Coordinates of all heavy atoms in Angstrom, one line a residue:
M1323 N 0.9 -1.2 0.0 CA 0.0 0.0 0.0 C 0.9 1.2 0.0 O 1.9 1.3 0.7 CB -0.9 0.0 1.2 CG -1.7 1.2 1.4 SD -2.8 1.2 2.9 CE -4.2 0.4 2.2
L1324 N 0.5 2.2 -0.8 CA 1.2 3.5 -0.8 C 0.4 4.6 -0.2 O -0.8 4.7 -0.4 CB 1.5 3.9 -2.3 CG 2.3 5.1 -2.5 CD1 3.7 5.0 -2.0 CD2 2.4 5.5 -4.0
F1325 N 1.1 5.3 0.7 CA 0.4 6.4 1.5 C 1.1 7.7 1.1 O 2.3 7.8 1.2 CB 0.5 6.1 3.0 CG 0.0 7.2 3.8 CD1 -1.4 7.5 3.9 CD2 0.8 8.0 4.6 CE1 -1.9 8.5 4.6 CE2 0.3 9.1 5.4 CZ -1.1 9.3 5.4
A1326 N 0.4 8.6 0.6 CA 0.9 9.9 0.2 C 0.2 11.0 1.0 O -1.0 11.1 1.1 CB 0.7 10.1 -1.3
L1327 N 1.1 11.9 1.5 CA 0.6 13.1 2.2 C 1.4 14.3 1.7 O 2.6 14.2 1.7 CB 0.8 12.9 3.7 CG 0.6 14.0 4.7 CD1 -0.9 14.3 4.7 CD2 1.2 13.7 6.0
G1328 N 0.7 15.4 1.3 CA 1.4 16.5 0.9 C 0.6 17.7 0.6 O -0.7 17.7 0.6
I1329 N 1.3 18.8 0.4 CA 0.6 20.1 0.0 C 1.4 20.6 -1.2 O 2.6 20.3 -1.3 CB 0.5 21.1 1.1 CG1 1.9 21.4 1.7 CG2 -0.4 20.6 2.2 CD1 1.9 22.6 2.7
S1330 N 0.8 21.5 -2.0 CA 1.5 22.1 -3.1 C 1.0 23.5 -3.3 O 0.1 24.0 -2.6 CB 1.2 21.3 -4.4 OG -0.1 21.5 -4.8
H1331 N 1.6 24.2 -4.3 CA 1.2 25.5 -4.6 C -0.3 25.6 -5.0 O -0.9 26.7 -5.0 CB 2.1 26.1 -5.7 CG 2.0 25.5 -7.0 ND1 2.6 24.2 -7.2 CD2 1.4 25.8 -8.1 CE1 2.3 23.9 -8.5 NE2 1.6 24.8 -9.0
R1332 N -0.8 24.5 -5.4 CA -2.2 24.4 -5.8 C -3.2 24.3 -4.6 O -4.4 24.5 -4.8 CB -2.4 23.3 -6.8 CG -1.7 23.6 -8.1 CD -2.0 22.5 -9.1 NE -1.2 22.8 -10.3 CZ -1.2 22.0 -11.3 NH1 -1.9 21.0 -11.4 NH2 -0.4 22.3 -12.4
T1333 N -2.7 23.7 -3.5 CA -3.6 23.4 -2.4 C -3.3 24.3 -1.1 O -4.1 24.2 -0.2 CB -3.4 22.0 -2.0 OG1 -2.1 21.7 -1.6 CG2 -3.8 21.1 -3.1
A1334 N -2.2 25.0 -1.1 CA -1.8 25.8 0.1 C -1.1 27.1 -0.3 O -0.4 27.1 -1.3 CB -0.9 25.0 1.0
C1335 N -1.3 28.1 0.5 CA -0.6 29.4 0.2 C 0.8 29.3 0.6 O 1.3 28.4 1.3 CB -1.3 30.5 1.0 SG -1.2 30.3 2.8
V1336 N 1.6 30.3 0.2 CA 3.0 30.3 0.5 C 3.3 30.2 2.0 O 4.2 29.5 2.4 CB 3.7 31.6 -0.1 CG1 5.1 31.8 0.4 CG2 3.6 31.7 -1.6
E1337 N 2.6 30.9 2.8 CA 2.8 30.9 4.3 C 2.6 29.5 4.8 O 3.4 29.1 5.7 CB 1.8 31.9 5.0 CG 2.1 33.3 4.7 CD 1.6 33.8 3.3 OE1 0.7 33.1 2.7 OE2 2.0 34.9 2.9
Q1338 N 1.6 28.8 4.4 CA 1.4 27.4 4.8 C 2.5 26.5 4.4 O 3.0 25.7 5.1 CB 0.0 26.9 4.4 CG -0.3 25.5 4.9 CD -0.5 25.5 6.4 OE1 -1.0 26.5 7.0 NE2 -0.2 24.4 7.0
R1339 N 2.9 26.6 3.1 CA 4.0 25.8 2.6 C 5.3 26.1 3.4 O 6.0 25.1 3.7 CB 4.2 26.0 1.1 CG 3.0 25.5 0.3 CD 3.3 25.4 -1.2 NE 4.0 26.5 -1.8 CZ 3.5 27.5 -2.3 NH1 2.2 27.7 -2.3 NH2 4.3 28.5 -2.9
E1340 N 5.6 27.3 3.7 CA 6.8 27.6 4.5 C 6.7 27.0 5.9 O 7.7 26.5 6.4 CB 6.9 29.2 4.6 CG 7.4 29.8 3.3 CD 7.4 31.3 3.4 OE1 6.9 31.9 4.4 OE2 7.9 31.9 2.4
K1341 N 5.5 27.0 6.5 CA 5.3 26.5 7.8 C 5.5 25.0 7.8 O 6.1 24.4 8.7 CB 3.9 26.8 8.3 CG 3.6 26.2 9.7 CD 2.2 26.5 10.1 CE 1.8 25.8 11.4 NZ 0.4 25.9 11.7
E1342 N 5.1 24.3 6.7 CA 5.2 22.8 6.6 C 6.5 22.4 6.0 O 6.8 21.2 6.0 CB 4.0 22.3 5.8 CG 2.7 22.6 6.4 CD 2.5 22.0 7.8 OE1 3.1 21.0 8.1 OE2 1.7 22.6 8.5
S1343 N 7.4 23.3 5.5 CA 8.6 22.9 4.9 C 9.5 22.0 5.8 O 9.4 22.1 7.0 CB 9.4 24.1 4.4 OG 9.9 24.8 5.4
L1344 N 10.2 21.2 5.2 CA 11.1 20.2 5.9 C 12.5 20.7 5.8 O 13.2 20.6 4.8 CB 11.0 18.8 5.3 CG 9.6 18.1 5.4 CD1 9.7 16.8 4.7 CD2 9.3 17.9 6.9
S1345 N 13.0 21.3 6.9 CA 14.4 21.7 7.0 C 15.2 20.4 7.0 O 14.7 19.3 7.3 CB 14.7 22.5 8.2 OG 14.5 21.7 9.4
N1346 N 16.5 20.4 6.9 CA 17.3 19.2 6.9 C 17.1 18.5 8.2 O 17.0 17.3 8.2 CB 18.8 19.6 6.7 CG 19.1 19.9 5.3 OD1 18.4 19.6 4.4 ND2 20.2 20.6 5.1
G1347 N 17.1 19.2 9.3 CA 17.0 18.6 10.6 C 15.6 17.9 10.8 O 15.4 16.8 11.3
R1348 N 14.6 18.7 10.4 CA 13.2 18.2 10.5 C 13.0 17.0 9.6 O 12.3 16.0 10.0 CB 12.2 19.3 10.2 CG 10.8 18.9 10.5 CD 9.9 20.1 10.3 NE 8.5 19.8 10.7 CZ 7.5 20.3 10.1 NH1 7.6 21.2 9.2 NH2 6.3 19.9 10.5
A1349 N 13.5 17.0 8.4 CA 13.3 15.9 7.5 C 14.0 14.7 8.0 O 13.5 13.6 7.9 CB 13.8 16.3 6.1
S1350 N 15.2 14.9 8.5 CA 16.0 13.8 9.0 C 15.3 13.1 10.2 O 15.2 11.9 10.2 CB 17.4 14.3 9.5 OG 18.2 13.2 10.0
K1351 N 14.8 13.9 11.1 CA 14.0 13.3 12.3 C 12.8 12.5 11.8 O 12.5 11.4 12.3 CB 13.6 14.4 13.2 CG 14.8 15.0 14.0 CD 14.3 16.1 14.9 CE 15.4 16.8 15.6 NZ 15.0 17.9 16.4
L1352 N 12.1 13.1 10.9 CA 10.9 12.5 10.4 C 11.2 11.1 9.7 O 10.6 10.1 10.0 CB 10.1 13.4 9.4 CG 8.9 12.8 8.7 CD1 7.8 12.5 9.7 CD2 8.4 13.7 7.6
L1353 N 12.2 11.2 8.8 CA 12.6 9.9 8.1 C 13.1 8.9 9.0 O 12.8 7.7 8.9 CB 13.6 10.3 7.0 CG 13.1 11.1 5.9 CD1 14.2 11.5 4.9 CD2 12.0 10.4 5.1
Q1354 N 13.9 9.3 10.0 CA 14.5 8.3 11.0 C 13.3 7.7 11.8 O 13.3 6.4 12.0 CB 15.4 9.0 11.9 CG 16.8 9.3 11.3 CD 17.7 10.1 12.3 OE1 17.3 10.4 13.4 NE2 18.9 10.4 11.8
H1355 N 12.4 8.5 12.2 CA 11.2 8.0 12.9 C 10.4 7.0 12.1 O 10.1 5.9 12.6 CB 10.3 9.1 13.4 CG 9.2 8.6 14.2 ND1 9.3 8.3 15.6 CD2 7.9 8.4 13.9 CE1 8.1 7.9 16.0 NE2 7.3 7.9 15.0
L1356 N 10.1 7.3 10.9 CA 9.3 6.5 10.1 C 10.0 5.2 9.6 O 9.5 4.1 9.5 CB 8.8 7.2 8.8 CG 7.8 8.3 9.2 CD1 7.5 9.2 7.9 CD2 6.5 7.8 9.8
A1357 N 11.3 5.4 9.3 CA 12.1 4.2 8.9 C 12.3 3.2 10.1 O 12.5 2.0 9.8 CB 13.5 4.7 8.4
G1358 N 12.2 3.7 11.3 CA 12.3 2.8 12.4 C 11.0 2.0 12.7 O 11.0 1.2 13.6
D1359 N 9.9 2.3 12.0 CA 8.7 1.6 12.2 C 8.7 0.4 11.3 O 8.8 0.4 10.1 CB 7.5 2.5 11.7 CG 6.1 1.9 12.1 OD1 6.0 0.7 12.0 OD2 5.2 2.7 12.4
D1360 N 8.6 -0.8 11.9 CA 8.7 -2.1 11.2 C 7.6 -2.3 10.2 O 7.8 -3.0 9.2 CB 8.6 -3.2 12.2 CG 9.8 -3.3 13.1 OD1 10.9 -2.8 12.7 OD2 9.7 -4.0 14.2
R1361 N 6.5 -1.5 10.3 CA 5.4 -1.6 9.3 C 5.7 -0.9 8.0 O 5.1 -1.2 7.0 CB 4.1 -1.1 9.9 CG 3.7 -1.8 11.2 CD 2.6 -1.1 11.9 NE 3.1 0.2 12.3 CZ 2.3 1.0 13.0 NH1 1.1 0.8 13.3 NH2 2.8 2.2 13.4
V1362 N 6.7 0.0 8.0 CA 7.0 0.8 6.9 C 8.2 0.2 6.1 O 9.2 0.0 6.7 CB 7.4 2.3 7.3 CG1 7.7 3.1 6.1 CG2 6.2 2.9 8.0
D1363 N 7.9 -0.1 4.8 CA 9.0 -0.7 4.0 C 9.9 0.4 3.4 O 11.1 0.2 3.3 CB 8.4 -1.5 2.9 CG 7.6 -2.7 3.4 OD1 8.1 -3.3 4.3 OD2 6.6 -3.0 2.8
E1364 N 9.3 1.5 3.0 CA 10.1 2.6 2.4 C 9.4 3.9 2.7 O 8.2 4.0 2.8 CB 10.2 2.4 0.8 CG 10.9 1.2 0.4 CD 10.8 1.1 -1.2 OE1 11.7 1.6 -1.8 OE2 9.9 0.4 -1.6
V1365 N 10.2 5.0 2.7 CA 9.7 6.3 3.0 C 10.5 7.3 2.3 O 11.8 7.2 2.2 CB 9.6 6.6 4.5 CG1 10.9 6.6 5.2 CG2 8.8 7.9 4.7
V1366 N 9.9 8.3 1.7 CA 10.5 9.4 1.0 C 9.9 10.7 1.4 O 8.7 10.8 1.5 CB 10.4 9.3 -0.5 CG1 11.0 10.5 -1.3 CG2 11.1 8.0 -1.0
A1367 N 10.7 11.8 1.7 CA 10.1 13.1 2.0 C 10.7 14.1 1.0 O 11.9 14.0 0.7 CB 10.5 13.5 3.4
L1368 N 9.9 14.9 0.4 CA 10.3 15.9 -0.5 C 9.8 17.3 -0.1 O 8.6 17.4 0.3 CB 9.7 15.6 -1.9 CG 9.9 16.6 -3.0 CD1 11.3 16.7 -3.4 CD2 9.0 16.2 -4.2
S1369 N 10.7 18.3 -0.1 CA 10.3 19.6 0.3 C 11.0 20.6 -0.7 O 12.2 20.7 -0.7 CB 10.7 19.9 1.7 OG 10.3 21.2 2.1
T1370 N 10.2 21.3 -1.5 CA 10.7 22.3 -2.4 C 9.9 23.6 -2.1 O 9.0 23.6 -1.2 CB 10.5 21.9 -3.8 OG1 9.2 22.0 -4.2 CG2 11.1 20.6 -4.1
C1371 N 10.1 24.6 -2.9 CA 9.4 25.9 -2.7 C 7.9 25.7 -3.1 O 7.1 26.5 -2.7 CB 10.0 27.0 -3.5 SG 10.1 26.7 -5.3
E1372 N 7.6 24.7 -3.9 CA 6.2 24.5 -4.3 C 5.5 23.3 -3.7 O 4.3 23.2 -3.7 CB 6.2 24.3 -5.9 CG 6.6 25.6 -6.6 CD 6.4 25.5 -8.1 OE1 6.1 24.4 -8.6 OE2 6.5 26.5 -8.7
V1373 N 6.3 22.3 -3.2 CA 5.7 21.1 -2.7 C 6.3 20.6 -1.4 O 7.5 20.7 -1.2 CB 5.9 20.0 -3.8 CG1 5.6 18.6 -3.2 CG2 5.1 20.2 -5.0
V1374 N 5.5 20.1 -0.5 CA 6.0 19.3 0.7 C 5.2 18.0 0.6 O 4.0 18.0 0.6 CB 5.7 20.1 2.0 CG1 6.2 19.2 3.2 CG2 6.4 21.4 2.0
Q1375 N 5.9 16.9 0.5 CA 5.3 15.6 0.3 C 6.0 14.5 1.0 O 7.2 14.5 1.2 CB 5.2 15.3 -1.2 CG 4.3 14.1 -1.5 CD 4.1 14.0 -3.0 OE1 5.0 14.2 -3.8 NE2 2.8 13.8 -3.4
Q1376 N 5.2 13.6 1.5 CA 5.8 12.4 2.2 C 5.1 11.2 1.5 O 3.9 11.1 1.4 CB 5.4 12.5 3.7 CG 5.8 11.3 4.5 CD 5.1 11.4 5.9 OE1 4.8 10.4 6.4 NE2 4.9 12.6 6.4
L1377 N 5.9 10.2 1.1 CA 5.4 9.0 0.5 C 5.9 7.8 1.3 O 7.1 7.7 1.7 CB 5.9 8.8 -0.9 CG 5.5 9.9 -1.9 CD1 6.2 9.7 -3.2 CD2 4.0 9.8 -2.1
Q1378 N 5.0 6.9 1.7 CA 5.4 5.7 2.4 C 4.8 4.5 1.7 O 3.7 4.5 1.2 CB 4.8 5.8 3.8 CG 5.3 7.0 4.6 CD 4.5 7.1 5.9 OE1 4.0 6.2 6.4 NE2 4.5 8.4 6.4
R1379 N 5.6 3.4 1.7 CA 5.1 2.1 1.2 C 5.1 1.1 2.3 O 6.1 1.0 3.1 CB 6.0 1.6 0.1 CG 5.4 0.4 -0.6 CD 6.2 -0.1 -1.8 NE 7.5 -0.6 -1.4 CZ 7.7 -1.8 -0.9 NH1 6.8 -2.6 -0.7 NH2 9.0 -2.2 -0.6
F1380 N 4.0 0.4 2.5 CA 4.0 -0.6 3.5 C 3.1 -1.8 3.0 O 2.3 -1.6 2.1 CB 3.5 -0.1 4.9 CG 2.2 0.6 4.8 CD1 1.0 0.0 5.0 CD2 2.2 2.0 4.6 CE1 -0.2 0.7 5.0 CE2 1.0 2.7 4.6 CZ -0.2 2.1 4.8
D1381 N 3.3 -3.0 3.5 CA 2.5 -4.1 3.1 C 1.1 -4.0 3.6 O 0.9 -3.6 4.7 CB 3.2 -5.4 3.6 CG 4.4 -5.8 2.9 OD1 4.6 -5.3 1.7 OD2 5.3 -6.4 3.5
Y1382 N 0.2 -4.3 2.7 CA -1.2 -4.3 3.1 C -1.5 -5.6 3.8 O -1.3 -6.7 3.2 CB -2.1 -4.1 1.9 CG -3.6 -3.8 2.3 CD1 -4.0 -2.6 2.6 CD2 -4.5 -4.9 2.4 CE1 -5.3 -2.3 3.0 CE2 -5.8 -4.6 2.8 CZ -6.2 -3.4 3.1 OH -7.5 -3.1 3.5
G1383 N -1.9 -5.6 5.0 CA -2.2 -6.8 5.7 C -3.3 -6.4 6.8 O -3.9 -5.4 6.8
P1384 N -3.5 -7.3 7.7 CA -4.4 -7.1 8.8 C -4.1 -5.7 9.5 O -2.9 -5.5 9.9 CB -4.2 -8.2 9.8 CG -3.6 -9.3 8.9 CD -2.8 -8.6 7.9
G1385 N -5.1 -4.9 9.6 CA -4.9 -3.6 10.3 C -4.4 -2.5 9.4 O -4.2 -1.4 9.9
A1386 N -4.1 -2.8 8.2 CA -3.5 -1.7 7.3 C -4.4 -0.6 7.1 O -4.0 0.6 6.9 CB -3.1 -2.3 6.0
E1387 N -5.7 -0.8 7.2 CA -6.7 0.3 7.0 C -6.6 1.4 8.1 O -7.0 2.5 7.9 CB -8.1 -0.2 6.9 CG -8.7 -0.9 8.1 CD -8.3 -2.3 8.3 OE1 -7.6 -2.9 7.4 OE2 -8.7 -2.9 9.3
I1388 N -6.1 1.0 9.3 CA -5.9 1.9 10.3 C -4.4 2.4 10.4 O -4.1 3.3 11.2 CB -6.3 1.4 11.7 CG1 -5.5 0.2 12.1 CG2 -7.8 1.1 11.7 CD1 -5.7 -0.3 13.5
L1389 N -3.5 1.9 9.6 CA -2.1 2.3 9.7 C -1.9 3.6 9.0 O -1.2 4.5 9.6 CB -1.3 1.2 8.9 CG 0.2 1.5 8.9 CD1 0.8 1.7 10.3 CD2 0.9 0.4 8.1
A1390 N -2.5 3.9 7.9 CA -2.3 5.2 7.2 C -2.6 6.4 8.1 O -1.7 7.3 8.3 CB -3.1 5.3 5.9
P1391 N -3.7 6.5 8.8 CA -3.9 7.6 9.7 C -2.9 7.7 10.8 O -2.5 8.8 11.3 CB -5.3 7.4 10.3 CG -6.0 6.6 9.3 CD -4.9 5.7 8.7
A1392 N -2.4 6.5 11.3 CA -1.4 6.5 12.3 C -0.1 7.1 11.8 O 0.7 7.6 12.6 CB -1.1 5.1 12.8
M1393 N 0.2 7.1 10.5 CA 1.4 7.7 10.0 C 1.4 9.2 10.1 O 2.5 9.8 10.0 CB 1.5 7.3 8.5 CG 1.8 5.9 8.3 SD 3.3 5.3 9.2 CE 3.1 3.6 9.1
L1394 N 0.3 9.8 10.4 CA 0.3 11.3 10.6 C 0.9 11.6 12.0 O 1.3 12.8 12.2 CB -1.1 11.8 10.5 CG -1.7 11.8 9.1 CD1 -3.2 12.2 9.1 CD2 -0.9 12.6 8.1
K1395 N 0.9 10.7 12.9 CA 1.4 11.0 14.3 C 2.8 11.6 14.3 O 3.0 12.6 15.0 CB 1.2 9.8 15.2 CG -0.2 9.4 15.5 CD -0.3 8.2 16.4 CE -1.8 7.9 16.6 NZ -1.9 6.7 17.4
P1396 N 3.8 11.0 13.6 CA 5.1 11.6 13.7 C 5.1 13.0 13.2 O 5.8 13.9 13.7 CB 5.9 10.7 12.8 CG 5.2 9.4 12.7 CD 3.7 9.8 12.8
V1397 N 4.3 13.3 12.1 CA 4.3 14.7 11.6 C 3.7 15.6 12.6 O 4.2 16.7 12.9 CB 3.4 14.7 10.3 CG1 3.3 16.1 9.8 CG2 4.0 13.8 9.2
R1398 N 2.6 15.2 13.3 CA 2.0 16.1 14.3 C 2.9 16.2 15.5 O 3.0 17.3 16.1 CB 0.7 15.4 14.7 CG -0.3 15.5 13.6 CD -1.7 15.1 14.1 NE -2.6 15.2 13.0 CZ -3.5 14.2 12.6 NH1 -3.5 13.1 13.3 NH2 -4.3 14.4 11.6
A1399 N 3.7 15.2 15.9 CA 4.6 15.3 17.0 C 5.7 16.3 16.7 O 6.1 17.1 17.5 CB 5.2 13.9 17.3
L1400 N 6.2 16.3 15.4 CA 7.3 17.2 15.0 C 6.7 18.7 15.1 O 7.4 19.6 15.5 CB 7.8 16.9 13.6 CG 8.7 15.8 13.5 CD1 9.0 15.5 12.0 CD2 10.1 16.1 14.2
E1401 N 5.5 18.8 14.7 CA 4.8 20.2 14.7 C 4.7 20.6 16.1 O 5.0 21.8 16.4 CB 3.5 20.1 14.0 CG 3.6 19.9 12.5 CD 2.2 19.7 11.9 OE1 1.2 19.5 12.6 OE2 2.1 19.7 10.7
A1402 N 4.3 19.7 17.0 CA 4.2 20.1 18.4 C 5.5 20.5 19.1 O 5.6 21.5 19.8 CB 3.5 18.9 19.2
N1403 N 6.6 19.7 18.7 CA 7.9 20.0 19.2 C 8.4 21.4 18.7 O 9.0 22.2 19.4 CB 8.9 18.9 18.9 CG 8.7 17.7 19.7 OD1 8.0 17.7 20.7 ND2 9.2 16.6 19.1
A1404 N 8.1 21.7 17.4 CA 8.6 22.9 16.8 C 7.8 24.1 17.5 O 8.4 25.2 17.7 CB 8.3 22.9 15.3
A1405 N 6.5 23.9 17.8 CA 5.8 25.0 18.4 C 6.2 25.3 19.8 O 6.2 26.4 20.2 CB 4.3 24.6 18.4
G1406 N 6.7 24.2 20.5 CA 7.1 24.4 21.8 C 8.5 24.9 22.0 O 9.0 25.4 23.0
A1407 N 9.3 24.8 20.9 CA 10.7 25.3 20.9 C 10.9 26.7 20.7 O 10.1 27.5 20.4 CB 11.5 24.5 19.8

C-alpha cells in the first residue's frame, strides 16, 4: 500500500508551505522515525518551494486500513515540538 501526504502551490498558500517545509533537521528526524517503524517498507520526503510531500510504502495486511492515519502522528509530533521550541 502506498500512502501519500502533501501540499503544493495548488492546495496551500506560500505561508502554509513555509510552515510545513522540511528543513534538513526536521526531514532527518521524520525519516528516521518512520524508517524505524517495522510496518513501513520505504519512505521518501520531498520539500521544495512548491511542494511538501511524504510517501510511504507498506505491506497491506491485517490492520492496514488503520495504519495510514497513524502515519500522521510523527508529523504532528514534530509540529508540536517545533511549536514548543
Side-chain angles (χ1 to χ4, degrees):
M1323 174 180 274
L1324 182 65
F1325 176 70
L1327 171 69
I1329 59 173
S1330 75
H1331 66 284
R1332 294 181 183 181
T1333 61
C1335 64
V1336 171
E1337 293 81 14
Q1338 183 66 31
R1339 293 193 319 268
E1340 287 174 349
K1341 179 181 173 188
E1342 300 299 329
S1343 68
L1344 296 173
S1345 66
N1346 287 341
R1348 188 174 184 212
S1350 179
K1351 287 178 186 177
L1352 176 66
L1353 292 173
Q1354 286 174 0
H1355 181 81
L1356 292 172
D1359 189 324
D1360 292 339
R1361 301 169 295 182
V1362 177
D1363 295 322
E1364 296 177 87
V1365 62
V1366 173
L1368 171 69
S1369 184
T1370 70
C1371 62
E1372 293 186 352
V1373 166
V1374 178
Q1375 190 169 42
Q1376 177 191 143
L1377 299 170
Q1378 301 168 26
R1379 186 179 66 80
F1380 52 93
D1381 288 333
Y1382 190 85
E1387 65 278 358
I1388 61 169
L1389 179 58
M1393 291 302 164
L1394 293 174
K1395 289 180 183 178
V1397 175
R1398 292 186 180 134
L1400 282 173
E1401 290 172 351
N1403 288 339

